[in-house]
Amino acid sequence: MSQPPRQLHLNVNILHSGFIPSAWRLPHADPLAFIDAAHYVKVARIAEAAKFDAVFLADNAAIIEQIDFRPITALEPTMLLATVAAATTHIGVIGTASTSYNEPYNIARRFATLDHVSGGRAGWNIVTTADVASARNFGLDKVPDHAARYARADEFTQVVKSLWNSWEDEALVADKVSGRFIDDSRVHPIAHRGSHFQVHGPLNLPRTPQGQPVLVQAGGSGDGQELAARHAEAVFSAAHTVEESLAYSRAINTRAAQLGRGPHAVKILPGLATIIGATEAEALRRRDELIDNIPWSYSLKRLAGILGVPVDSLDPDRPLPDKLALPGGGNGNHTFFHATLSLVKGRPHTVRDVIRALCGGGGHRVLVGTPEQIADDIERWFKAGAADGFNLMPDALPDGLQHFVDGVVPLLQQRGLFRRDYEGKTLRSHFGLVHPASTGGQARAA
Amino acid sequence: MSQPPRQLHLNVNILHSGFIPSAWRLPHADPLAFIDAAHYVKVARIAEAAKFDAVFLADNAAIIEQIDFRPITALEPTMLLATVAAATTHIGVIGTASTSYNEPYNIARRFATLDHVSGGRAGWNIVTTADVASARNFGLDKVPDHAARYARADEFTQVVKSLWNSWEDEALVADKVSGRFIDDSRVHPIAHRGSHFQVHGPLNLPRTPQGQPVLVQAGGSGDGQELAARHAEAVFSAAHTVEESLAYSRAINTRAAQLGRGPHAVKILPGLATIIGATEAEALRRRDELIDNIPWSYSLKRLAGILGVPVDSLDPDRPLPDKLALPGGGNGNHTFFHATLSLVKGRPHTVRDVIRALCGGGGHRVLVGTPEQIADDIERWFKAGAADGFNLMPDALPDGLQHFVDGVVPLLQQRGLFRRDYEGKTLRSHFGLVHPASTGGQARAA
């Protein structure tokens, strides 16, 4: 059998009304979509009809932005994904849950539940939480420092994996005749006693359809990359150039290989926002309409937050300030900081240019153009090895996704880059990942 | 307008394969129903077709029983209920979540999410967790004492209610023309600083369709009754006689009135297990078949656990030991201990009799008989004021529920005791509870 050609992976980030903060104001948009389960189901069904790998949900455990102008991340992702899974059959469901303000037993159980109720389509996006508003919702007055958050995240993830592995595949007997339900010799405590957690186990839930949910991460910092190299099967990165994304992919995968994982163990899926028109002029008009509906004060404040500078240090008609340093003394979001700097590197720009290029979003690359232009760009990144696929962030939902599905997906299929149908029913199958073998209940780090 | 006649409330406890531990071995049972979302959806749809108030899910955060012989509480309830809500339109969805091993911000958010995705059908069953296996999954070597657990539960519940109240009803503007999305002057921090929690708030989720999810509790102990009187809108109790249930209802509701709540603020919904046959003989045959399939060693161990005595102190042919005391020095489950003692009070019995009367379950009353006999019993309790309804635990699911729906529900309807259709679409409407007014974001205890 010949090796099948390498295939692109596509997820859609269901960022409530869409990537552009003013998306909710478009004429056909339902402004209350952000709290309407039916909206998320509708988007997921469009993505499933186009054979996407997965839907993705971000999360926050606090209000971390100005809320006067735009929708926020509100509904809890794992519960919303249970709803989405009930209304779909194939598409993966990847949800974010923080290691900073949860207990590993609860997270292991929730994602194992999601894997069971979805028939093997669950993924966990492992994050740490860096904002002070969240800290203050969980008994803290300030954010734990970056290294401490990542040390906790690493141990947290190990505990979760051990719990998922605490039942052998054969533990569930369920034999009516003998009356034997579970072979308890095949269900094992994990007896974890670490620096952050003591968790005895086992999980009160049998091994899941995928063996374990898919592990996803978004590691921009050094600590984040180490966490990704140790645990992640896919990374949602932020990058603006092929070179930068290629370097990132090599760094993560080299480190993963050093840790005894395979040669390309971690799929690199950069964020990609899209604004699509039948002609380039139409796409640009849509972009301008969306941007013009974003209050200038909102965009300035958001950029100031990413860069860690006072709002009044940003003059729309002048370049970004010199000597920018990681916000919060390195305790903030490294990913978006670096991505934003890379966007302006070596190019003439004003603060106004940067805000237009980011389209009011924070950090991720924005493509504006025709389906052909967008397919060309995706093909270029994919063939250069800078991406194994993309975490799509359509400008507005559901219509921006529908534009991508109607315009770009057929081109990617014609070029042999993207599937025309699902080959399996699990997220592991879509991503081409192995179903991890049971290790007899041993608690293992990787 | 004349006062409508007082109506019975019916919930069904979806205890995986059913109340009787051997239910999974019945000929038509799917032994793997306990991890199959479709099973829970099927049961909920039967209950919804019969116009039940709600489905109910219990929870454990550890394996707390022998698992060799029977299914366990496995799938996480709130996520499973999101799945159930997506497949139903009217029936309430009540899930258990522990105050012992969660953070109030996360629980407030999960149940608010459930209320949003279900369109106003969510209820939270507030519990504390008393088993050592759970403690060991959350960093503790032993169970916190009873009073400490309930003090935490009380503060936890207050924080959750304050968070649900942190958005005023009018905070969500979503006006496309002006571009105003949220009126942030109507979204308030709760700034809670208590003995157990510091939670700044606000919740990152608008006020829910019901104003707040319905609060349910199961308070058997003195501390539990106090918690119920302070917060609960319905109590899932365990009682074996009208007198005992009436006394319990009066105690809870008198205390609630002292705390400034209404005259009968707390609905009393005792657990009621049912084994139904077209004739009494058929019902008894079904009971015997179910009981004969439970290993004797399992039933003995379970009874010993409830009573807090060594297994070898129980002789099948002799009465229960004298001088029983609350297990764990009062730190265990008071409800089932007292209910079991009340079952045998003043009647000749052996350990074997008690185990047969409990049908291998723990503590709850079991009715065995024809639909007519069961309807008569329900009517008697209801008219005596000993119950506002019942938390049904059919012997086996879904067929035991189908027997109840086909046989008992029509009799209750003919007698004017139970609705023939839903009057509203929220759980508050089914339970006849008010939609709590927004108090302008003030953090209030009740």
Side-chain angles (χ1 to χ4, degrees):
Chain A
M1 219 173 80
S2 69
Q3 184 77 2
R6 179 170 160 257
Q7 290 284 296
L8 187 69
H9 301 289
L10 292 175
N11 304 322
V12 59
N13 182 343
I14 312 185
L15 198 61
H16 36 77
S17 294
F19 178 76
I20 311 287
S22 58
W24 66 278
R25 294 179 69 181
L26 286 174
H28 297 295
D30 171 8
L32 299 185
F34 80 121
I35 50 169
D36 182 3
H39 168 71
Y40 297 84
V41 166
K42 185 189 292 179
V43 173
R45 283 179 168 161
I46 293 169
E48 184 170 77
K51 318 301 177 192
F52 272 43
D53 294 73
V55 300
F56 171 80
L57 289 180
D59 196 32
N60 292 303
I63 295 173
I64 60 167
E65 292 201 281
Q66 274 180 270
I67 58 175
D68 54 338
F69 162 65
R70 64 168 299 172
I72 55 173
T73 301
L75 301 172
E76 195 283 321
T78 59
M79 298 190 57
L80 191 50
L81 291 174
T83 305
V84 166
T88 53
T89 56
H90 285 73
I91 196 162
V93 286
I94 303 173
T96 300
S98 174
T99 55
S100 301
Y101 303 119
N102 281 294
E103 289 282 339
Y105 193 91
N106 291 333
I107 292 299
R109 192 150 169 248
R110 295 234 304 281
F111 282 92
T113 296
L114 187 60
D115 210 39
H116 277 291
V117 303
S118 66
R121 298 187 276 142
W124 172 32
N125 181 39
I126 309 161
V127 301
T128 80
T129 301
D131 66 279
V132 70
S134 297
R136 294 172 76 194
N137 287 336
F138 295 91
L140 301 177
D141 290 319
K142 61 189 187 63
V143 180
D145 76 42
H146 198 274
R149 290 205 313 276
Y150 276 87
R152 179 181 162 108
D154 179 54
E155 188 182 333
F156 191 115
T157 307
Q158 285 187 46
V159 171
V160 169
K161 289 160 77 173
S162 295
L163 287 167
W164 285 338
N165 207 27
S166 62
W167 288 55
E168 297 181 38
D169 286 328
E170 302 77 14
L172 200 50
V173 182
D175 177 29
K176 288 185 186 182
V177 178
S178 69
R180 185 148 208 203
F181 193 71
I182 292 161
D183 178 353
D184 52 10
S185 73
R186 293 178 180 272
V187 180
H188 308 274
I190 68 165
H192 176 87
R193 299 184 87 86
S195 313
H196 300 82
F197 305 107
Q198 293 185 20
V199 181
H200 192 71
L203 199 61
N204 59 333
L205 191 48
R207 198 167 171 82
T208 74
Q210 291 189 108
Q212 69 177 36
V214 173
L215 293 174
V216 175
Q217 218 265 331
S221 68
D223 290 331
Q225 292 189 33
E226 178 70 15
L227 187 66
R230 287 172 65 85
H231 301 293
E233 298 169 294
V235 166
F236 292 163
S237 57
H240 287 265
T241 66
V242 162
E243 296 67 33
E244 157 195 9
S245 194
L246 200 52
Y248 178 82
S249 174
R250 285 184 180 143
I252 297 267
N253 276 298
T254 300
R255 181 66 187 133
Q258 284 167 353
L259 291 166
R261 302 179 65 194
H264 189 80
V266 189
K267 312 268 181 211
I268 306 299
L269 308 173
L272 183 63
T274 52
I275 303 178
I276 302 175
T279 63
E280 192 174 342
E282 188 184 309
L284 289 168
R285 270 200 306 278
R286 181 171 163 103
R287 183 195 66 176
D288 290 345
E289 183 191 353
L290 284 162
I291 292 184
D292 290 346
N293 269 328
I294 306 172
W296 183 250
S297 61
Y298 169 85
S299 300
L300 264 184
K301 197 163 168 183
R302 185 163 171 115
L303 181 60
I306 289 172
L307 300 176
V309 298
V311 173
D312 59 15
S313 72
L314 298 179
D315 179 335
D317 297 314
R318 296 182 57 83
L320 294 189
D322 291 334
K323 297 186 195 153
L324 290 165
L326 274 167
N331 205 17
N333 186 319
H334 293 208
T335 309
F336 288 165
F337 177 81
H338 290 304
T340 302
L341 290 201
S342 107
L343 180 68
V344 301
K345 196 164 54 186
R347 272 165 281 183
H349 66 275
T350 61
V351 164
R352 194 184 306 278
D353 296 335
V354 173
I355 285 176
R356 285 190 81 79
L358 292 172
C359 289
H364 282 291
R365 190 162 70 111
V366 187
L367 276 182
V368 186
T370 64
E372 186 89 21
Q373 288 173 318
I374 287 172
D376 288 351
D377 185 282
I378 286 175
E379 182 171 4
R380 183 168 62 90
W381 278 56
F382 181 63
K383 290 202 166 157
D388 297 297
F390 293 91
N391 193 28
L392 286 182
M393 292 173 284
D395 51 359
L397 291 167
D399 63 331
L401 176 63
Q402 195 70 58
H403 298 162
F404 187 94
V405 162
D406 293 343
V408 182
V409 168
L411 297 174
L412 297 173
Q413 289 170 332
Q414 285 160 26
R415 299 177 193 183
L417 301 176
F418 190 62
R419 70 174 71 83
R420 290 173 188 273
D421 204 355
Y422 291 111
E423 288 178 15
K425 296 191 77 170
T426 67
L427 179 55
R428 290 195 170 276
S429 158
H430 308 334
F431 274 170
L433 298 169
V434 295
H435 178 124
S438 165
T439 55
Q442 293 301 300
R444 297 206 313 196
Chain B
M1 217 174 80
S2 69
Q3 184 76 3
R6 180 169 159 256
Q7 290 283 297
L8 187 69
H9 301 288
L10 291 175
N11 304 322
V12 59
N13 183 342
I14 312 186
L15 198 61
H16 37 75
S17 294
F19 177 76
I20 312 287
S22 59
W24 67 278
R25 294 179 69 181
L26 286 174
H28 298 294
D30 170 8
L32 299 184
F34 81 122
I35 50 169
D36 182 3
H39 167 72
Y40 296 84
V41 166
K42 186 188 292 180
V43 173
R45 284 178 166 163
I46 293 170
E48 183 169 75
K51 318 302 177 192
F52 272 43
D53 293 74
V55 300
F56 171 80
L57 289 180
D59 196 32
N60 293 302
I63 295 172
I64 61 167
E65 293 201 280
Q66 276 181 268
I67 57 175
D68 54 337
F69 161 66
R70 64 167 299 172
I72 55 172
T73 300
L75 301 173
E76 195 283 321
T78 60
M79 299 191 56
L80 191 49
L81 291 175
T83 304
V84 167
T88 53
T89 56
H90 285 73
I91 196 162
V93 287
I94 303 173
T96 300
S98 175
T99 56
S100 302
Y101 304 120
N102 281 293
E103 289 282 340
Y105 193 91
N106 290 333
I107 291 300
R109 193 152 169 246
R110 295 235 304 281
F111 282 93
T113 297
L114 188 59
D115 210 39
H116 278 290
V117 304
S118 66
R121 297 187 276 142
W124 172 32
N125 181 38
I126 308 162
V127 301
T128 79
T129 302
D131 65 278
V132 70
S134 297
R136 295 172 78 193
N137 287 335
F138 295 91
L140 301 177
D141 290 319
K142 62 191 187 62
V143 180
D145 76 43
H146 197 274
R149 290 204 314 276
Y150 276 88
R152 179 181 162 108
D154 180 54
E155 188 182 332
F156 191 115
T157 307
Q158 285 187 46
V159 172
V160 169
K161 289 161 78 174
S162 296
L163 286 168
W164 286 339
N165 208 26
S166 61
W167 289 54
E168 297 181 38
D169 286 328
E170 301 77 14
L172 200 51
V173 181
D175 176 28
K176 288 185 187 183
V177 177
S178 69
R180 185 149 208 202
F181 193 71
I182 291 161
D183 177 353
D184 52 10
S185 73
R186 294 179 180 273
V187 180
H188 307 274
I190 68 166
H192 175 88
R193 299 184 87 86
S195 313
H196 300 82
F197 304 108
Q198 293 185 21
V199 181
H200 192 71
L203 199 62
N204 59 334
L205 191 49
R207 198 165 171 83
T208 74
Q210 290 189 108
Q212 68 178 37
V214 174
L215 293 174
V216 176
Q217 218 265 330
S221 69
D223 291 332
Q225 291 190 33
E226 178 68 17
L227 186 67
R230 288 173 64 85
H231 301 292
E233 298 170 294
V235 166
F236 291 163
S237 57
H240 288 266
T241 66
V242 163
E243 296 68 33
E244 155 195 10
S245 195
L246 200 51
Y248 178 82
S249 174
R250 285 184 180 142
I252 296 266
N253 275 298
T254 299
R255 181 65 187 135
Q258 285 168 352
L259 292 166
R261 302 179 65 194
H264 188 80
V266 188
K267 312 269 182 211
I268 305 299
L269 308 173
L272 182 62
T274 51
I275 303 176
I276 302 175
T279 62
E280 191 174 340
E282 189 184 307
L284 289 168
R285 269 200 307 277
R286 181 170 163 103
R287 182 195 66 177
D288 290 344
E289 184 191 350
L290 285 161
I291 292 184
D292 290 346
N293 269 329
I294 307 172
W296 184 250
S297 61
Y298 169 86
S299 300
L300 264 185
K301 197 162 168 182
R302 185 161 169 116
L303 181 60
I306 289 172
L307 300 175
V309 299
V311 174
D312 58 16
S313 72
L314 298 178
D315 179 334
D317 297 314
R318 297 181 56 82
L320 294 191
D322 291 334
K323 297 186 195 156
L324 290 165
L326 275 167
N331 206 16
N333 186 319
H334 293 208
T335 309
F336 288 165
F337 177 81
H338 289 304
T340 303
L341 291 200
S342 108
L343 180 68
V344 301
K345 196 162 58 186
R347 272 165 282 182
H349 66 273
T350 61
V351 164
R352 193 185 308 277
D353 296 334
V354 173
I355 285 175
R356 286 190 82 77
L358 293 172
C359 289
H364 282 291
R365 190 162 70 111
V366 186
L367 276 182
V368 186
T370 64
E372 186 89 21
Q373 289 173 317
I374 287 171
D376 289 349
D377 185 282
I378 286 176
E379 181 171 4
R380 183 168 64 88
W381 278 56
F382 181 63
K383 291 201 165 158
D388 298 297
F390 293 91
N391 194 29
L392 285 182
M393 292 173 283
D395 51 359
L397 291 168
D399 62 332
L401 176 63
Q402 194 70 59
H403 298 161
F404 188 93
V405 162
D406 294 343
V408 182
V409 168
L411 297 174
L412 298 173
Q413 288 170 332
Q414 285 161 26
R415 298 177 193 184
L417 301 175
F418 190 63
R419 69 175 71 85
R420 290 173 187 273
D421 204 355
Y422 291 110
E423 288 178 14
K425 295 191 78 169
T426 67
L427 179 55
R428 289 194 171 277
S429 158
H430 308 336
F431 274 170
L433 298 169
V434 297
H435 178 123
S438 165
T439 56
Q442 293 301 300
R444 297 206 315 196

